[in-house]
Amino acid sequence: MDRKHFDFVLCDPSDLSVICVIELDDKSHQAKSRQERDDLLLGACEAAGIPMIQVPAKAAYTISTVAEMFSGLLSRSNGGEVESAIQAPVASIDNSNNCPKCASSLVKRTVKKGEHAGKKILACSTYPACRFYSPLPENEKPKLAKEM
């Protein structure tokens, strides 16, 4: 099983027992060799009695979509508090510096080309994978030397 792995393993935080494994399926999973690999991993999971969830790969997911994907599995392990179990770690993150599309950090950038060249923006740090950006508020723009 050279180079066979799972994208994520979801564990019970109380004892680290495996609840399920997660495979993110991007376009490469349409290739025959990749489908054979996925079948091998699925067979290994079935033999071990571990559910494998195949999720279409996206730049970002909503909490409700994730909760729906895992509702059957998590309700068995935590008494039905699915959405709160998924939201709990996210709620502690300071969202003011995170991308609203993919939750990656936002960075200050200067537009280099086009009609907005020279303007300051907040952009996702994962660009070009995520293309979120937002203009910086006026009070965030640096003052020009002649205004000082």
Side-chain angles (χ1 to χ4, degrees):
M1 289 198 17
D2 183 31
R3 289 172 279 177
K4 308 297 187 265
H5 67 278
F6 302 107
D7 291 315
F8 295 96
V9 177
L10 183 64
C11 298
D12 185 323
S14 65
D15 62 4
L16 296 180
S17 61
V18 176
I19 296 171
C20 72
V21 296
I22 303 159
E23 185 66 23
L24 296 177
D25 290 347
D26 58 10
K27 291 177 185 176
S28 70
H29 287 259
Q30 295 172 357
K32 185 178 179 182
S33 63
R34 200 59 187 247
Q35 289 173 356
E36 289 171 356
R37 174 205 167 270
D38 288 347
D39 289 343
L40 178 69
L41 292 178
L42 185 57
C45 286
E46 287 173 353
I50 299 171
M52 182 169 118
I53 298 176
Q54 292 179 275
V55 178
K58 294 197 240 182
Y61 302 88
T62 64
I63 294 295
S64 59
T65 302
V66 174
E68 187 178 312
M69 280 188 258
F70 297 103
S71 63
L73 294 167
L74 293 179
S75 61
R76 282 183 263 159
S77 67
N78 73 2
E81 300 172 13
V82 177
E83 198 152 327
S84 63
I86 293 170
Q87 283 181 322
V90 177
S92 65
I93 296 173
D94 175 13
N95 290 326
S96 63
N97 292 322
N98 293 340
C99 175
K101 281 184 155 183
C102 71
S104 296
S105 60
L106 292 174
V107 293
K108 292 179 184 178
R109 296 187 191 255
T110 303
V111 178
K112 298 204 187 312
K113 298 179 183 177
E115 72 179 83
H116 300 290
K119 292 186 179 178
K120 304 290 182 187
I121 60 171
L122 277 178
C124 185
S125 60
T126 64
Y127 177 86
C130 176
R131 294 181 173 267
F132 173 81
Y133 71 93
S134 176
L136 272 173
E138 289 297 318
N139 60 356
E140 291 284 333
K141 291 185 180 178
K143 292 184 178 182
L144 297 174
K146 48 185 159 171
E147 292 177 2
M148 299 175 141

